[in-house]
Amino acid sequence: MHPEISVVIPVYCEEAGIRHTLREVEKFLTLSASTWEIVVVDDGSKDNTWNEITTISQTLPQLRGLRLSRNFGKEAAVSAGLEAAGGKAVIIMDGDMQHPPSLLPTMIETWRTGEFDIVEAVKSSRGDESALSAARAKLFYLILRAFSGHDLNGASDYKLLDQRVIEAYRTMKERNVFFRGMISWMGFRSTQIPFEVEPRIAGDSGWSVFGLIRLAAIAVTSFSTFPLHLITIFGVLFFAFSVVLGMHTVYMKLSGAAINGFTTVILLLLIIGSSLMIGLGIIGEYLARIYDEVKQRPRYIVSQKLPLSPSSESPASH
């Protein structure tokens, strides 16, 4: 039988804190759910995270584990967990304790009212995050809102999803996924619960600057074609400017007031050349997304599963 609640926890190099996280999640699930399971997805950790998960599973029968063959990224790990979870409702949370497990009972009780399909935990503060990280996050959400129309400021991956939402999510087969944006795009009934981000119990964030830039590119190109229209808008503006400048140049030439010099020409070449390169870059991003989709490669590959079974000996992919 399917459990009432599944908790999906994607992890990457969380050897030092995974045991404490799972015990805390177990404690609050025992208090608030009739039947439950925890699905931990090891996203190709380079430390002993998988060995820790294996050891914990021997004393925690509700624990299921998926080990990806390499690091596919958090978005792919979340997808792997959602596709493996069997609960009537599924909660996604981080494994570093920045998403407080103490919020689980409130999220579950809110879902049980039947009024909402999605219960979102929204950051009321960003905790002890550095000013640079906070500025990067603010810029990311500002760009996303400007280009896609989705306001995800303060949003997190800490969400409870009804089975109806999970079924809809599984029908979305694109390879480049942005979990928060996809859930917002589906438009199911949702409510928000504020929470304060707790300090990490161990280690550092696995997000690099390059990883955040790549996620931003995927998020924008997956949910908006506005950057492509922006190229056309700039083209029209530059055309109008060139017409005005051409008329002015002809007038100056005919009136004998033309001044020899290359400053204007050089500036125009730099501006137009830069605009063309940026335009080609934007088109290249969309072509890259199309290229990834037409290859039809799986989002992830599972190399091991817990609990162990004959079927878990061969890799699975999706």
Side-chain angles (χ1 to χ4, degrees), residues 273-292:
S274 300
S275 301
L276 288 173
M277 294 300 292
I278 293 172
L280 288 173
I282 292 173
I283 295 172
E285 282 295 325
Y286 282 92
L287 288 176
R289 301 287 85 78
I290 296 172
Y291 175 66
D292 287 339

Side-chain angles (χ1 to χ4, degrees), residues 82 89-90 92 117-118 159-163 165-166 179 183:
L82 289 177
V90 180
I92 301 90
D117 301 305
I118 302 171
K159 304 179 188 296
L160 181 149
L161 309 177
D162 185 81
Q163 188 59 41
V165 182
I166 301 299
F179 172 69
I183 297 301

Side-chain angles (χ1 to χ4, degrees), residues 33-194:
S34 56
T35 55
W36 52 272
E37 67 175 358
I38 303 174
V39 181
V40 181
V41 183
D42 181 5
D43 188 22
S45 297
K46 296 180 174 65
D47 59 4
N48 290 319
T49 299
W50 182 251
N51 292 336
E52 280 290 304
I53 296 170
T54 303
T55 302
I56 298 168
S57 69
Q58 296 173 4
T59 57
L60 185 58
Q62 295 92 340
L63 177 62
R64 298 171 57 200
L66 300 177
R67 187 183 194 185
L68 305 190
S69 59
R70 65 171 177 83
N71 180 241
F72 286 88
K74 183 180 180 181
E75 303 297 310
V78 169
S79 295
L82 289 177
E83 287 160 7
K88 297 176 183 177
V90 180
I91 300 173
I92 301 90
M93 63 184 301
D94 289 349
D96 54 13
M97 290 295 289
Q98 289 195 301
H99 294 165
S102 58
L103 202 62
L104 291 172
T106 304
M107 298 174 74
I108 293 171
E109 286 302 319
T110 303
W111 165 71
R112 280 179 178 154
T113 64
E115 297 179 14
F116 306 103
D117 301 305
I118 302 171
V119 181
E120 300 183 89
V122 179
K123 301 172 186 176
S124 58
S125 71
R126 303 192 66 89
D128 58 357
E129 188 177 42
S130 67
L132 179 60
S133 297
R136 284 198 309 240
K138 187 174 183 179
L139 178 62
F140 170 79
Y141 290 120
L142 181 65
I143 293 173
L144 184 63
R145 183 173 68 249
F147 285 154
S148 70
H150 293 283
D151 187 3
L152 300 181
N153 189 31
S156 73
D157 291 335
Y158 196 8
K159 304 179 188 296
L160 181 149
L161 309 177
D162 185 81
Q163 188 59 41
R164 292 201 306 153
V165 182
I166 301 299
E167 290 174 359
Y169 181 88
R170 289 170 180 166
T171 65
M172 303 168 74
K173 300 299 183 181
E174 59 258 47
R175 267 51 191 169
N176 291 285
V177 296
F178 178 49
F179 172 69
R180 298 179 203 177
M182 291 168 74
I183 297 301
S184 173
W185 176 86
M186 285 192 283
F188 283 95
R189 301 171 302 168
S190 65
T191 186
Q192 296 181 342
I193 298 176

